[in-house]
Amino acid sequence: MIIINSQLLKEARGDSPAELVLKNCKILDVFNEELYEDNLAISSGKIIGIGDYQGRKEVDLDGKILAPSFVDGHLHLESAMVPVEEFAKKAISLGTTTIVADPHEIANVAGLRGIKYILNKGLKMPWNFNLMLPSCVPSSKFETGGAVLNANELEKMIDYDGIFGLGEVMDYPGVINGDNKLWEKLDLFSNKFIDGHAPGVKGKDLNAYLQGKIKADHECTTAKEALEKLRKGMYIMIREGSVTRDLKQLLPAVNDRNFNRFLFATDDRHPGDLIKEGQINFLIKKAVKEGLDPIKAIKLATINSATALGFDDIGAIAPGYKADLVVLDNLKNFKVEKVFKDGKLVAEDQEFIAGYPKDNFEKSEEYNKIFSSVNIGEISEKDFELPQGNKYRTMNLVSEQIVTRKDTVSFEKSPVKNEDLVNKNLNKLAVVERHHQTGNVGLGLLGGFGLKRGAIATSVGHDSHNIIVVGLNKKDMLKAVREIEKMNGGIVIIENGKLINKLALPIAGLMSDKTLNEVADKLSELRKEAKKLGVQNESPFMTISFMALPVIPRLKVTDRGLFSAEKFDFVSLVVE
């Protein structure tokens, strides 16, 4: 049944004043890729017309550029390490009013309880909040997670307001080889958006993967990989996160023939980068710096994203679309001066000015359980000793990537001493199970991190989020884990048995309850302390958090041991 809004039609025809008219605009037309001067009429949260309109309220934009607000096609809110509302305020103030969030980080810790927490928080904010239900909880069968979400569990939430689709399908071998439990999830979401995660998958394996109606991928790291996936019907998300930065490598794949198949995504952005660089607005600026036409860069963040994700009322300035808009100073600086959501001014001069309602979730028993998520079994210093051997497998960092290179290292004497590791730029990396008190500790050797003394530990360990500790001295490594336990999650730096600095992350061991600026400042302190200990990596804590992700090549460590993503099985740390 069609419901006619007579008043809205009167305003669209110009017979009655509109609710709001933005005057003297340079409107960015994403369809014709041009700027033109005109006025924009808005009522009931929607764009009702472009032209000579009168408004009950009128705002003169003084010739500034009016563009559609931005869309982030894939991100993990937990990576910002702050409460959802803190991330939202920052993202909205920078022009992002639509996100597609995958809560598989908190889901791997707290299951449906964690998803409900994120959903409850996200729906309170003035943005288009779309939540995916995670496809891989646990993320793989090779690690111990905090929850198990099968198709029956996901079905309980599939019709909740705000649920958009199935989150990144990381278990690509499971899809390719016909894992029944995974295919039950794919079938359940066959009429919704299914996001992909298929690093390096190609040829016939990619053909098989795409039988699951998987629409997009954000794991391409080369133009060649992107072009094959485009050829086979996928949308490609150009990712520029805090650790994995793929924009420069992928832009050469973008041309006039395939441009509409690309969109932007941030995936994982750290607090300091959100403040210093920005959010989707940063990707626009970087793409232009790399040579992309400014209007095309904005299209990657607006209409391309909307089309790929299946939204038909955002991403453009046109009658019938939501009045989700940004005012930009120009197409060189891309400074976001104002942000409108549904025609309401929600941010000005990159400051969030809209309010949001409080909720009662924080008073519930479910909330309390999220704040007590670290449960470590019996462990000792022996768990952080290298096994006897002369030749070991090593996992070596790759700059600005979460993949690792595999190698081997030989030592003249056994047992290997700490100074022997330092001389070869190696550190011990251990993953300690923290959900079910199993006492599991997996051990590996990490190359290129640079730690020369002490230990660094974090309860952010993608994707099962066990505790990851990098160090040399077994006493410091154990001390670091125990300090994480005391805080119920966080990041710590230990040297010579002393706590040097820490950041508590009490929300599922993933997020702080402090403001974005407070967390960014504390992380800056921690990075400085890490550098004093020899670490040169600019994002040390996020970097090590990915060293437990077994679905990313090549070698990683889980709480059950050293894992090869190529063999998709465990391998021995000791070669001989």
Side-chain angles (χ1 to χ4, degrees):
M1 180 180 177
I2 298 176
I3 299 175
I4 299 173
N5 189 327
S6 299
Q7 180 58 35
L8 206 64
L9 289 174
K10 285 182 182 180
E11 295 177 15
R13 295 195 303 265
D15 297 338
S16 297
E19 181 181 326
L20 172 66
V21 175
L22 301 178
K23 297 259 186 180
N24 192 19
C25 314
K26 288 182 181 176
I27 297 174
L28 195 149
D29 176 1
V30 296
F31 301 117
N32 290 300
E33 296 189 7
E34 64 179 6
L35 292 172
Y36 65 97
E37 295 183 5
D38 219 322
N39 304 321
L40 190 75
I42 298 167
S43 283
S44 300
K46 292 188 176 183
I47 298 168
I48 61 165
I50 300 169
D52 185 15
Y53 283 90
Q54 301 300 311
R56 300 194 290 277
K57 179 180 180 181
E58 297 182 351
V59 176
D60 190 336
L61 293 185
D62 194 27
K64 297 292 176 63
I65 294 168
L66 188 65
S69 57
F70 311 139
V71 181
D72 194 331
H74 169 77
L75 62 84
H76 304 287
L77 289 163
E78 304 95 317
S79 294
M81 302 171 76
V82 292
V84 174
E85 55 269 29
E86 277 293 306
F87 172 87
K89 288 190 290 185
K90 188 62 178 179
I92 292 167
S93 74
L94 297 174
T96 300
T97 62
T98 300
I99 70 165
V100 178
D102 186 341
H104 75 213
E105 316 297 355
I106 198 168
N108 269 288
V109 175
L112 294 183
R113 182 187 300 118
I115 298 172
K116 290 175 183 177
Y117 171 79
I118 296 289
L119 185 63
N120 182 279
K121 295 285 186 180
L123 290 175
K124 302 291 183 184
M125 302 303 295
W127 57 358
N128 303 314
F129 185 69
N130 305 279
L131 199 67
M132 309 294 273
L133 290 180
S135 66
C136 297
V137 178
S139 59
S140 78
K141 63 183 180 180
F142 304 104
E143 55 197 317
T144 305
V148 176
L149 296 181
N150 55 30
N152 290 335
E153 288 292 295
L154 296 181
E155 191 171 16
K156 295 175 182 178
M157 288 192 68
I158 195 170
D159 293 324
Y160 276 42
D161 288 343
I163 297 301
F164 181 65
L166 186 65
E168 55 180 314
V169 184
M170 299 182 294
D171 186 6
Y172 51 88
V175 178
I176 295 166
N177 296 313
D179 180 86
N180 286 334
K181 292 181 179 179
L182 184 53
W183 272 89
E184 286 175 0
K185 298 174 188 177
L186 294 171
D187 290 341
L188 178 64
F189 286 85
S190 60
N191 293 321
K192 291 182 178 288
F193 188 85
I194 302 177
D195 197 8
H197 172 117
V201 178
K202 59 185 178 180
K204 292 179 180 177
D205 281 348
L206 181 59
N207 297 341
Y209 183 73
L210 294 178
Q211 301 306 309
K213 297 185 178 180
I214 296 162
K215 303 289 197 310
D217 188 73
H218 58 270
E219 290 292 341
C220 292
T221 58
T222 66
K224 181 180 179 181
E225 181 180 359
L227 288 171
E228 181 184 358
K229 288 175 177 174
L230 285 172
R231 195 172 295 119
K232 293 181 177 178
M234 299 189 86
Y235 286 97
I236 302 301
M237 296 183 183
I238 298 176
R239 171 179 58 185
E240 190 74 6
S242 284
V243 174
T244 304
R245 297 176 181 262
D246 301 316
L247 187 148
K248 187 173 182 178
Q249 289 75 27
L250 293 182
L251 276 184
V254 180
N255 57 53
D256 289 339
R257 297 183 301 277
N258 64 21
F259 178 80
N260 66 333
R261 304 296 290 187
F262 288 91
L263 62 152
F264 279 148
T266 61
D267 201 4
D268 297 288
R269 293 235 98 200
H270 225 236
D273 292 331
L274 284 169
I275 293 171
K276 181 181 177 181
E277 297 178 338
Q279 216 263 337
I280 288 292
N281 65 315
F282 171 69
L283 277 69
I284 295 171
K285 287 188 282 188
K286 185 166 183 178
V288 173
K289 185 178 179 181
E290 293 295 330
L292 190 65
D293 174 79
I295 292 180
K296 285 189 178 294
I298 288 176
K299 286 184 68 174
L300 287 172
T302 56
I303 192 63
N304 278 28
S305 299
T307 301
L309 296 164
F311 300 122
D312 59 6
D313 60 352
I314 62 169
I317 297 177
Y321 280 65
K322 287 185 178 183
D324 295 353
L325 308 162
V326 295
V327 178
L328 304 172
D329 58 348
N330 53 56
L331 295 183
K332 293 181 180 179
N333 299 325
F334 294 96
K335 182 183 178 183
V336 177
E337 296 190 350
K338 298 179 188 294
V339 182
F340 293 88
K341 177 70 188 81
D342 297 325
K344 306 294 183 184
L345 186 65
V346 293
E348 193 165 20
D349 295 326
Q350 298 191 0
E351 292 292 331
F352 182 80
I353 62 173
Y356 56 92
K358 300 294 183 179
D359 59 72
N360 294 320
F361 193 92
E362 295 185 14
K363 299 178 182 179
S364 69
E365 182 180 348
E366 288 186 281
Y367 183 85
N368 291 334
K369 289 181 179 178
I370 288 172
F371 270 72
S372 56
S373 64
V374 177
N375 302 286
I376 297 171
E378 292 293 326
I379 60 173
S380 68
E381 292 179 6
K382 290 184 178 180
D383 292 307
F384 305 101
E385 294 177 354
L386 286 177
Q388 292 287 323
N390 296 109
K391 187 176 182 180
Y392 297 82
R393 289 184 171 88
T394 64
M395 43 193 280
N396 300 302
L397 294 175
V398 177
S399 177
E400 296 189 350
Q401 297 291 328
I402 58 176
V403 299
T404 59
R405 290 184 293 103
K406 63 178 182 178
D407 205 345
T408 59
V409 62
S410 297
F411 297 95
E412 293 181 2
K413 297 180 180 180
S414 184
V416 178
K417 296 180 180 180
N418 293 340
E419 54 265 33
D420 297 330
L421 294 175
V422 171
N423 290 337
K424 294 181 181 291
N425 196 18
L426 291 170
N427 297 129
K428 290 183 279 188
L429 183 143
V431 177
V432 180
E433 194 276 322
R434 62 113 160 173
H435 303 293
H436 305 293
Q437 297 181 317
T438 63
N440 289 352
V441 179
L443 193 62
L445 284 174
L446 179 65
F449 190 65
L451 189 71
K452 291 181 170 57
R453 58 187 186 278
I456 297 173
T458 175
S459 56
V460 180
H462 296 284
D463 281 320
S464 289
H465 295 291
N466 290 304
I467 294 171
I468 298 179
V469 55
V470 177
L472 295 160
N473 185 300
K474 61 186 179 182
K475 291 184 178 180
D476 282 351
M477 294 177 76
L478 179 61
K479 170 77 171 175
V481 173
R482 291 304 183 197
E483 290 294 333
I484 295 282
E485 186 178 30
K486 288 179 185 177
M487 293 190 296
N488 253 308
I491 300 171
V492 300
I493 296 178
I494 303 294
E495 184 181 9
N496 295 326
K498 294 182 179 180
L499 175 63
I500 302 301
N501 211 332
K502 65 181 180 178
L503 168 64
L505 300 174
I507 305 174
L510 304 174
M511 295 176 282
S512 170
D513 54 3
K514 306 299 182 183
T515 68
L516 185 68
N517 285 330
E518 287 174 317
V519 173
D521 288 345
K522 178 57 71 173
L523 284 168
S524 180
E525 290 178 19
L526 287 161
R527 279 194 295 272
K528 289 176 182 177
E529 295 293 349
K531 282 193 173 184
K532 290 179 183 178
L533 299 180
V535 177
Q536 298 303 312
N537 191 289
E538 292 301 318
S539 298
F541 315 115
M542 187 172 278
T543 296
I544 64 173
S545 76
F546 284 106
M547 295 302 104
L549 187 53
V551 295
I552 295 291
R554 291 187 170 73
L555 287 178
K556 296 294 169 71
V557 180
T558 80
D559 65 299
R560 299 179 187 176
L562 186 63
F563 186 82
S564 168
E566 295 171 316
K567 295 182 178 180
F568 229 68
D569 203 353
F570 291 102
V571 293
S572 172
L573 175 58
V574 177
V575 178
E576 59 184 46

